[in-house]
Amino acid sequence: MHKNFKGIEKTVFGRGSFNQLGDILAERRNDNDKFMLFVVDHYFKGKDLEKKIPALAGDVVKFIDVDVHEPTTEQIDNLRDTVKGSKGIPSAVIGIGGGSIMDIAKAVSLMFTNEGSSTLYQGLNLIKKPGIYHIGVPTISGTGAEVSMTAVLTGPEKKLGLKCEWTVFNQVVLDPDLIASVPRNWWFYTGMDTYIHCIESENGILNNAYSHSYAEQSLKLCREIYLGDKSGQTPENDDKLMVASLMGGLSLTYSEVGVCHALSYGLSKILGTRHCYANCIAFNHLEDYYADGVKEFKTMIAKHKIDLPQGLAKDWTDEQITAMAKVAYNLPHMWAHAIGPDWKDKVTVESISALYRRL
Ligand code: NAD
Ligand code: ZN
């Protein structure tokens, strides 16, 4: 069966395009209970961007600190219940922030129309009704959350996305001005998520002409941003990074991620390591699987003098390592893509544990 997915309905790209958000929202203002819900990364509280948010009287603006924890089911349920209880159903939800905020916007948009707790819907196609209109405005680029059909949530039992066609944003606003303030280390780790998406998408059995074309262009942009003569965090490279992130996301959507993301999920689940950082920690030691990619990655690390700790595994217990290896092993689609349909003959919880011991 070939993948058949819905894309973002509308995309605006360009420096200053954030100023068009008010016009975009004007078309929606008579929907539902006639107010907008903005969810905004709290980094922007008191910054210039706060003044540019096109909120009118009656709209709700929630600033959310994404550093306390990654988005949770409880947080989504509370946000939905508070807003619904006090004002009703918004005309639209607008997420202004990184992967965390965009996932919150996607998830809450679905939960305004689907009853009960979001824990009921963690998984593929469990959502019953389309959500309300939702807009993604990325302020840090790399995860591809702006284009993906999942909203990753941590629940009491599992860390799993609300994954369905209705999760995809109706509108995305890509304004490279918004990513200029990203701290350098995060610019690197989050950008590397895109690079790794492409390397993994390309190196596996699901790679195809469609996914390859996106990966090829995204990798070209990543090389200009992180390796070229004009590499670094410049306005020109920010334009490129926003596009690379989206294309990397499309590439993996039509192919698959691989060994690095499997290991990274184990690190996030058991140790709480953040997605993009976890990917970098794992990828650094995966030369057996992605020789050229890892070599190039190390060049980029050196060029930008990025801190990437090593020797972490010596502080992990055997139980932690086994637990991480089990999480990774339970991602069969990633292993099948990276290693082949007979991956179970080659990969075991023990062999994955050995990979973790390298980190
Ligand atoms: P993030 O949203 O977690 O933000 C990382 C940090 O950058 C935060 O401290 C934030 O305040 C700060 N920040 C954001 N924009 C900034 C700016 N312009 N200037 C200064 N600081 C800024 O970052 P992320 O890496 O984009 O997202 C990680 C999350 O995305 C995780 O929760 C992960 O589960 C999720 N994710 C989702 C998908 C998906 O397809 N839905 C894919 C990968 C990861
Ligand atoms: Zn990723």
Side-chain angles (χ1 to χ4, degrees):
M1 187 79 145
H2 295 289
K3 294 182 174 186
N4 181 13
F5 290 140
K6 179 173 167 291
I8 305 164
E9 282 162 25
K10 290 182 106 176
T11 304
V12 54
F13 173 82
R15 212 157 272 283
S17 59
F18 186 75
N19 299 331
Q20 280 168 241
L21 186 56
D23 293 342
I24 292 167
L25 293 178
E27 293 175 24
R28 300 275 150 198
R29 284 205 171 266
N30 282 324
D31 295 351
N32 302 325
D33 291 309
K34 301 189 170 61
F35 72 98
M36 296 292 165
L37 171 61
F38 295 87
V39 285
V40 187
D41 191 306
H42 91 139
Y43 167 82
F44 294 106
K45 180 105 193 95
K47 304 279 190 318
D48 280 352
L49 189 79
E50 182 183 358
K51 296 183 210 111
K52 292 194 196 161
I53 296 173
L56 303 182
D59 289 352
V60 177
V61 183
K62 296 259 183 209
F63 287 95
I64 299 177
D65 184 350
V66 299
D67 291 326
V68 186
H69 51 68
E70 290 193 337
T72 65
T73 50
E74 193 188 358
Q75 181 181 24
I76 297 301
D77 297 349
N78 287 341
L79 178 59
R80 185 258 327 259
D81 293 344
T82 315
V83 173
K84 209 171 175 179
S86 61
K87 303 210 47 139
I89 299 187
S91 311
V93 181
I94 306 97
I96 304 173
S100 304
I101 289 286
M102 286 191 279
D103 281 356
I104 292 172
K106 289 175 179 181
V108 81
S109 117
L110 294 167
M111 294 314 301
F112 273 112
T113 50
N114 287 272
E115 315 225 313
S117 167
S118 49
T119 52
L120 298 170
Y121 306 105
Q122 283 180 284
L124 179 62
N125 292 335
L126 300 178
I127 288 281
K128 298 197 168 51
K129 296 180 198 158
I132 62 169
Y133 194 87
H134 51 303
I135 303 184
V137 186
T139 66
I140 177 167
S141 287
T143 63
E146 64 277 28
V147 73
S148 77
M149 59 185 291
T150 187
V152 184
L153 297 182
T154 304
E157 281 164 32
K158 47 196 169 192
K159 178 176 175 181
L160 198 60
L162 310 187
K163 189 170 183 186
C164 70
E165 293 202 340
W166 296 315
T167 312
V168 181
F169 282 117
N170 299 101
Q171 166 87 56
V172 167
V173 176
L174 300 177
D175 183 341
D177 267 345
L178 304 189
I179 66 171
S181 55
V182 170
R184 210 174 62 92
N185 269 0
W186 285 105
W187 164 78
F188 189 84
Y189 303 138
T190 312
M192 282 303 110
D193 195 21
T194 290
Y195 179 79
I196 296 166
H197 289 159
C198 296
I199 297 293
E200 292 190 303
S201 167
E202 292 273 77
N203 287 282
I205 57 170
L206 292 176
N207 188 29
N208 58 74
Y210 193 77
S211 61
H212 165 66
S213 304
Y214 285 118
E216 188 176 47
Q217 184 60 28
S218 178
L219 284 170
K220 177 175 174 284
L221 294 168
C222 286
R223 289 179 180 125
E224 289 169 16
I225 300 161
Y226 293 103
L227 283 175
D229 298 343
K230 295 183 180 160
S231 76
Q233 220 174 345
T234 63
E236 196 182 54
N237 285 337
D238 286 346
D239 286 10
K240 294 177 181 174
L241 186 53
M242 283 209 125
V243 179
S245 172
L246 190 130
M247 290 193 160
L250 284 170
S251 178
L252 80 85
T253 298
Y254 283 91
S255 173
E256 190 46 84
V257 286
V259 180
C260 181
H261 272 71
L263 296 186
S264 162
Y265 280 120
L267 285 164
S268 295
K269 177 89 205 250
I270 304 301
L271 303 177
T273 315
R274 298 187 79 111
H275 178 78
C276 303
Y277 185 54
N279 277 336
C280 289
I281 288 172
F283 195 65
N284 205 21
H285 295 279
L286 291 179
E287 49 280 332
D288 299 359
Y289 298 91
Y290 307 109
D292 295 344
V294 174
K295 195 169 162 219
E296 193 165 57
F297 173 79
K298 286 180 194 280
T299 315
M300 296 190 269
I301 290 265
K303 185 167 178 112
H304 297 285
K305 300 187 177 62
I306 297 296
D307 274 341
L308 196 60
Q310 307 208 36
L312 297 169
K314 68 176 177 343
D315 297 327
W316 300 336
T317 64
D318 288 344
E319 288 72 31
Q320 284 176 315
I321 291 176
T322 306
M324 289 193 278
K326 283 185 178 162
V327 173
Y329 186 81
N330 282 318
L331 294 162
H333 47 296
M334 298 185 193
W335 295 103
H337 167 63
I339 312 289
D342 59 347
W343 68 274
K344 284 196 173 167
D345 299 339
K346 298 172 186 160
V347 177
T348 61
V349 170
E350 291 70 38
S351 72
I352 301 174
S353 298
L355 292 178
Y356 279 110
R357 287 183 207 285
R358 291 181 184 180
L359 311 185

